[in-house]
Amino acid sequence: MRVIAKSTLRKFWEHPAYRDAQGPLESWHEEVLHAKWSSPQEVKAQYGNVSICGNNRVVFNIGGNKYRLVIEMQYRAGIAWVKFIGTHAQYDQINVESVNDY
């Protein structure tokens, strides 16, 4: 899968409060680059604790469930598009299905 965009992840972990997210996010990024998911079921088979949501959104638990990462999956195009990364408290304030839509 192509990940759009690693710079969004980097910007998050470069914030002093979230530096502990760097390792888990880099690991996630590397795993997704090698994934060839064609359906939500394939994502769920690899990451059993993801949440499959509407609007092709998948929510990953990052860093021992400290952070939430919302991805829009475009399976046919092979794209994992980062829509949101934040703490659980920040995640609770968003609408997963529309966050970061333009």
Side-chain angles (χ1 to χ4, degrees):
M1 306 290 291
R2 281 184 31 216
V3 177
I4 301 175
K6 186 175 183 180
S7 61
T8 303
L9 303 177
R10 184 178 301 112
K11 182 178 178 182
F12 182 76
W13 79 56
E14 287 178 346
H15 187 283
Y18 311 128
R19 294 211 189 277
D20 62 331
Q22 182 174 357
L25 285 171
E26 286 183 324
S27 294
W28 176 88
H29 183 265
E30 190 65 26
E31 290 173 10
V32 174
L33 287 178
H34 293 96
K36 296 184 184 340
W37 299 318
S38 61
S39 69
Q41 295 78 16
E42 290 180 2
V43 179
K44 188 79 169 166
Q46 184 171 348
Y47 290 94
N49 65 348
V50 298
S51 297
I52 306 298
C53 303
N55 202 20
N56 294 316
R57 302 299 172 96
V58 179
V59 181
F60 292 85
N61 296 314
I62 302 293
N65 210 17
K66 185 173 182 180
Y67 303 108
R68 291 285 177 104
L69 175 61
V70 178
I71 302 296
E72 179 183 325
M73 299 300 295
Q74 297 177 5
Y75 297 102
R76 293 177 76 180
I79 296 172
W81 193 333
V82 176
K83 293 295 185 175
F84 171 85
I85 177 70
T87 65
H88 274 270
Q90 293 164 338
Y91 172 82
D92 289 343
Q93 301 300 310
I94 67 164
N95 179 330
V96 171
E97 295 182 13
S98 64
V99 67
N100 204 22
D101 275 348
Y102 300 102

